[in-house]
Amino acid sequence: MSHCQVTLSANAGIALSFGGLRVWVDALHDQKIPGFSTVTPDLWAAMRAHPAFAAPDLLFFTHCHPDHFSAGLAREALNLWPGAKIVLPENRFPGQALLSGRRERVRLPQLTLDFIRLTHEGPRYADKPHYGCILESQGFRVLVTGDCKLCAPELAEFLQEDRPVDLAILDFPWLTLPRGRRFVQEHIRPKALLVCHLPFQEDDDFGYRTAALKSAPLLEGVDVRLLWEPLQQETLEDA
C-alpha cells in the first residue's frame, strides 16, 4: 500500500512525505497578504520543531510571489539542512536547480518530479515564471498546480499523458467555482483532493473558508479535504 502525508505550513505551503523522502512545496513565506495567512515567527519556530518538517530532501517553489516564497526563510532552511536540494523558477541561490524550460524532470531515490510551466492566474501575472508538478513515488502520484490559471489548457494536455493522479493539491477556486469543479472531474480525476490557499480563521476577511466548506460536497466521487489550520496533517493511502 502506497501512502503520503501532507502537513500544512500556511497558505499553499506544505511538507509532503512519501517514499521515504520529504518535499516542501511553497512552505516558506513571511509577507502578509490581505485576506490570507503567512508563516509568522511563531509558526516558523513550530515548524522547525515539528517532525513533519524535519530534514527536507527538497524545497520546491512554484513561483516567487511573496505569499509562496521567502528568500530569507529559504536561506535559513538551507543553512539548517545543507543537504536539501532547492528547485524554483528564478535564479536565487547558488547550486539551485533552475526551472526554465517548458518541461523539466528531477529524480531522487524512489521519487520523480515532473515539472511543467503553467500560466499563473490573472492577466497581470501571465508572464510570471510559474511551475506545477507531478510527484510520483512507488506508483503514487501527486499533482501540485500552485497558482495555475483555472482550467489552463496546458494543464489538461499534461494530464493526458499518463494515468490519473491519486492526489491533487489545488487552490480553493478549483473547488468553489463550477468551471473549476468540472475541470477537476473531467481532466484531473483525482481520488483525493486537498484544497489549499485558504486563510486561517483570523485572516478570513472575504469568506473563502465558508465558500470552500459549502462547495466541498459538490465535487462528487472525490475525497475532498480542506487544508486550513496551521500544521494540519492529512494522510492519503492507495489500497
Side-chain angles (χ1 to χ4, degrees), residues 3-21:
H3 75 278
C4 73
Q5 183 181 74
V6 179
T7 307
L8 180 69
S9 63
N11 201 33
I14 57 168
L16 196 158
S17 178
F18 67 151
L21 298 174

Side-chain angles (χ1 to χ4, degrees), residues 66-99:
D67 58 337
H68 289 253
F69 169 76
S70 162
L73 290 185
R75 193 172 295 111
E76 283 189 44
L78 292 173
N79 288 335
L80 287 168
W81 299 289
K85 301 179 183 297
I86 184 166
V87 181
L88 66 162
E90 294 186 19
N91 199 357
R92 299 294 189 97
F93 303 97
Q96 73 169 76
L98 175 66
L99 299 173

Side-chain angles (χ1 to χ4, degrees), residues 130-158:
H130 175 275
Y131 282 76
C133 182
I134 289 180
L135 306 91
E136 182 168 353
S137 177
Q138 300 176 3
F140 194 94
R141 291 160 50 83
V142 180
L143 171 69
V144 176
T145 60
D147 285 354
C148 174
K149 180 180 179 181
L150 210 65
C151 308
E154 65 268 29
L155 178 58
E157 180 182 347
F158 181 49

Side-chain angles (χ1 to χ4, degrees), residues 13 25 35 57 66 76-77 79 120 134 148 150 152 160 170 174 176 195:
V25 181
D57 295 283
E76 283 189 44
N79 288 335
H120 192 291
I134 289 180
C148 174
L150 210 65
Q160 288 176 355
L170 307 177
W174 294 88
T176 57
V195 181

